[in-house]
Amino acid sequence: MQAGIIGLGLIGGSMGLALRKSNLFKRLLGFDISPLHSQQALSLGLVDECVEFEQIQKCDVIFIATPLDGIIATLKKLKSIPPTTTIIDLGGAKEKILNNIPKKIRKNFVAAHPMSGTENFGPSAALEGLFYNKIVILTDTEQSGEFQVALAKQIFVAIGMRIIKMSAKEHDKHIAFISHLPHVISFALANTVLTQEEPQNILALIGGGFRDMSRISKSSPIMWRDVFAHNKQNLLESIECFGKEMVYAQSLIQEERWDELIEWMQKANSLHTFF
């Protein structure tokens, strides 16, 4: 088989490395709208060859690893697809994508979200083993072709992933809390410090806590703009829930209700008993 990867950044590039190690595909082709990214992907060995979009359509399996608006635009361009082709997107929000798939290729399509990544982006951020022992969520698979779902599962198992299935609606609601909200918080934390009169003096004092919480604020703004836009309502609800917790903490501190503050923090401590 031959695989094509559209989008050669962190996720697409790491998928290239994982597929190469799996030995499932004879050849890996890549496509990226950035000539620089294509050149970097080739020099880093993420794919065997970078080709034009038309040639990607001839691959047995096509992975789409672009920002979310790019996934929808790409799906609308995939017009000459044989019935046996498998298209797998790797985006972080699902409902809007699934609502925009051309009917002609719906059976070809498998919606997947690998729960793995880093704060870095671009081909140089690609990592071997990024997906190993991580979860991949497959959504609304009952609308996909049986052959395509079986092949997608085979691929993800071959690269060491654990598969969970759920509806796109459930996915977007849950992911808003555990992925999208933390990114908003991290961006907000970074900007809070940067708006101070002497941010360089504050940053000279940073320790592990700030580094941990602000790490993902380095993430791609373009990618996360699309994620926030696609999952707008669920994200707004999660921000509202978080805001209520912040207001509650503020009131406990302001009113010096220290025992209740301890109880509030102890409740938070219990989260890590679940994983």
Side-chain angles (χ1 to χ4, degrees), residues 61 63 86-88 110 112 136 138 146-158 163:
V61 181
F63 293 90
T86 300
I87 306 167
I88 303 171
V110 179
V136 60
L138 305 184
E146 290 184 12
F147 172 81
Q148 281 77 10
V149 173
L151 181 55
K153 288 180 178 179
Q154 180 186 357
I155 293 168
F156 286 122
V157 168
I163 298 169

Side-chain angles (χ1 to χ4, degrees), residues 17-32:
L17 292 174
L19 295 176
R20 189 183 299 286
K21 192 172 181 180
S22 74
N23 294 316
L24 285 175
F25 297 95
K26 186 176 181 180
R27 193 160 179 77
L28 300 176
L29 304 183
F31 172 81
D32 198 288

Side-chain angles (χ1 to χ4, degrees), residues 17-107:
L17 292 174
L19 295 176
R20 189 183 299 286
K21 192 172 181 180
S22 74
N23 294 316
L24 285 175
F25 297 95
K26 186 176 181 180
R27 193 160 179 77
L28 300 176
L29 304 183
F31 172 81
D32 198 288
I33 59 171
S34 165
L36 176 60
H37 281 190
S38 296
Q39 184 180 1
Q40 290 175 332
L42 279 174
S43 65
L44 292 167
L46 308 182
V47 292
D48 296 314
E49 183 182 0
C50 284
V51 298
E52 296 299 319
F53 186 82
E54 289 70 24
Q55 289 175 264
I56 291 288
Q57 296 190 69
K58 298 175 184 178
C59 292
D60 301 286
V61 181
I62 301 170
F63 293 90
I64 310 177
T66 66
L68 300 188
D69 281 353
I71 292 174
I72 291 174
T74 298
L75 289 169
K76 291 179 178 178
K77 293 177 184 176
L78 292 172
K79 298 175 181 178
S80 305
I81 299 298
T84 55
T85 300
T86 300
I87 306 167
I88 303 171
D89 93 288
L90 303 172
K94 291 301 173 205
E95 270 201 286
K96 189 173 180 180
I97 290 173
L98 286 162
N99 289 338
N100 281 276
I101 301 171
K103 290 182 180 179
K104 185 179 178 182
I105 62 170
R106 182 60 187 92
K107 291 292 184 183

Side-chain angles (χ1 to χ4, degrees), residues 118-160:
T118 74
E119 70 276 17
N120 301 311
F121 49 97
S124 61
L127 291 172
E128 186 173 328
L130 180 69
F131 304 113
Y132 184 76
N133 207 29
K134 302 290 175 52
I135 288 170
V136 60
I137 304 171
L138 305 184
T139 64
D140 292 11
T141 54
E142 67 280 357
Q143 297 178 38
S144 305
E146 290 184 12
F147 172 81
Q148 281 77 10
V149 173
L151 181 55
K153 288 180 178 179
Q154 180 186 357
I155 293 168
F156 286 122
V157 168
I159 65 174

Side-chain angles (χ1 to χ4, degrees), residues 99-273:
N99 289 338
N100 281 276
I101 301 171
K103 290 182 180 179
K104 185 179 178 182
I105 62 170
R106 182 60 187 92
K107 291 292 184 183
N108 298 90
F109 184 78
V110 179
H113 180 195
M115 296 299 294
S116 55
T118 74
E119 70 276 17
N120 301 311
F121 49 97
S124 61
L127 291 172
E128 186 173 328
L130 180 69
F131 304 113
Y132 184 76
N133 207 29
K134 302 290 175 52
I135 288 170
V136 60
I137 304 171
L138 305 184
T139 64
D140 292 11
T141 54
E142 67 280 357
Q143 297 178 38
S144 305
E146 290 184 12
F147 172 81
Q148 281 77 10
V149 173
L151 181 55
K153 288 180 178 179
Q154 180 186 357
I155 293 168
F156 286 122
V157 168
I159 65 174
M161 301 202 79
R162 294 175 286 141
I163 298 169
I164 290 177
K165 293 197 294 182
M166 63 176 62
S167 71
K169 189 176 186 67
E170 282 183 294
H171 169 276
D172 287 4
K173 182 177 180 179
H174 299 331
I175 294 301
F177 282 91
I178 65 168
S179 176
H180 304 169
L181 175 63
H183 278 81
V184 171
I185 294 169
S186 187
F187 288 128
L189 176 62
N191 282 328
T192 299
V193 171
L194 290 171
T195 56
Q196 303 308 302
E197 289 185 11
E198 300 291 342
Q200 64 273 18
N201 292 341
I202 298 174
L203 293 172
L205 305 174
I206 62 173
F210 183 86
R211 288 185 190 278
D212 289 344
M213 289 194 65
S214 64
R215 176 182 61 82
I216 55 177
S217 68
K218 289 171 57 182
S219 300
S220 166
I222 300 298
M223 187 192 84
W224 282 99
R225 174 205 63 192
D226 282 9
V227 171
F228 296 160
H230 277 233
N231 204 22
K232 174 185 171 182
Q233 197 54 49
N234 288 312
L235 178 58
L236 288 174
E237 289 175 11
S238 71
I239 291 172
E240 184 178 357
C241 290
F242 180 76
K244 289 177 180 177
E245 290 293 330
M246 290 297 290
V247 169
Y248 181 60
Q250 182 182 27
S251 68
L252 293 179
I253 295 167
Q254 191 169 17
E255 297 165 16
E256 299 186 0
R257 293 152 60 191
W258 307 123
D259 289 342
E260 291 174 67
L261 183 66
I262 288 174
E263 290 176 8
W264 181 76
M265 291 188 288
Q266 285 175 334
K267 180 183 176 183
N269 290 162
S270 69
L271 172 69
H272 287 269
T273 62

